[in-house]
Amino acid sequence: MKHALFVFAGSERHLLESIFNDPGRPFYNSVVFMQLLPIKKQEYTKFCQQLFACYGKSVSDILISRLYDCFRGITWYLQLGMNEAFTLAERGERVGENCYSHILNHMVDSKRFTFEDRYASLTEKQKTVLQAIATEYPNDVTLTSQVFITKYSLKTASSVQTAVKGLTEKGILSDSHGRKRPTDILFMLWLKSY
């Protein structure tokens, strides 16, 4: 494959980093990383409104903004949410902010069985720690802080670290700039309502 170029893309950053940053892996140090930041909210809003208009529909700025904030500008979730919003309106109709909860509920419910299976595979300590993380979402918290441990009756920092290590190994949490974050926002939303 002479003169072949490859692009490896994905939202599971920790998986991509493990492929290319682990000295024991065949593709170690063989790529140049390029981070794609979220599309700016104003640009995304304009884009969505233009697409809705092409089909004689309209969508509320506030609805787009709330979905954008909920999903931290991550395109995959936003596309899923806007697709759901699009199906709620007929030609000539407007999808308003009042549809926000319906859209989130539908998105979460579509993955309910996957989430139930994933949750069932966790240890009790992992479930407790994950439930605490979901309760705090979207706020970033220091998982081993005394405040967090006390608030959720998690006993010790070492037991939280053990649970977090297991959740990270299972791909439920990932490292992002030295902080542990959920890899699936819909799973966090499901846990909030569990």
Side-chain angles (χ1 to χ4, degrees):
M1 292 205 310
K2 200 173 189 181
H3 304 292
L5 299 174
F6 296 96
V7 174
F8 299 93
S11 58
E12 301 292 336
R13 195 172 107 199
H14 66 286
L15 293 177
L16 291 171
E17 286 178 349
S18 71
I19 292 169
F20 301 110
N21 288 343
D22 181 347
R25 305 289 286 273
F27 292 111
Y28 172 67
N29 241 2
S30 65
V31 298
V32 174
F33 279 96
M34 183 176 102
Q35 183 178 4
L36 297 176
L37 298 173
I39 297 167
K40 291 180 180 160
K41 189 190 295 189
Q42 298 82 356
E43 292 175 29
Y44 197 83
T45 300
K46 183 179 174 184
F47 171 76
C48 291
Q49 289 173 333
Q50 287 173 343
L51 283 178
F52 272 68
C54 286
Y55 293 90
K57 302 178 182 188
S58 65
V59 60
S60 156
D61 289 1
I62 296 170
L63 175 63
I64 297 169
S65 179
R66 289 186 69 192
L67 289 170
Y68 186 98
D69 292 343
C70 176
F71 297 120
R72 297 181 173 186
I74 299 172
T75 302
W76 184 84
Y77 294 108
L78 289 168
Q79 288 176 337
L80 195 62
M82 294 313 300
N83 181 62
E84 180 63 26
F86 188 84
T87 64
L88 295 176
E90 297 295 326
R91 182 174 279 284
E93 292 182 342
R94 179 175 180 79
V95 183
E97 178 187 4
N98 59 323
C99 296
Y100 176 77
S101 293
H102 172 81
I103 291 168
L104 286 186
N105 290 338
H106 189 269
M107 291 171 71
V108 169
D109 196 50
S110 70
K111 294 186 76 178
R112 181 172 47 97
F113 295 116
T114 301
F115 295 155
E116 288 171 352
D117 287 346
R118 187 179 299 161
Y119 191 71
S121 74
L122 303 176
T123 67
E124 288 307 311
K125 181 52 87 177
Q126 289 170 341
K127 288 178 184 178
T128 304
V129 170
L130 191 59
Q131 196 70 51
I133 294 168
T135 301
E136 293 292 331
Y137 184 82
N139 301 319
D140 285 328
V141 294
T142 303
L143 301 179
T144 54
S145 73
Q146 195 57 48
V147 172
F148 183 77
I149 291 168
T150 303
K151 183 175 182 179
Y152 295 103
S153 305
L154 299 174
K155 297 187 182 169
T156 66
S158 64
S159 68
V160 171
Q161 285 176 327
T162 301
V164 166
K165 182 179 181 209
L167 292 168
T168 303
E169 287 169 357
K170 292 179 181 190
I172 294 170
L173 297 178
S174 67
D175 267 316
S176 178
H177 306 292
R179 311 269 310 183
K180 294 292 185 186
R181 296 196 180 204
T183 57
D184 189 339
I185 296 171
L186 291 177
F187 190 36
M188 291 299 104
L189 297 176
W190 178 80
L191 284 165
K192 279 183 177 246
S193 64
Y194 184 76

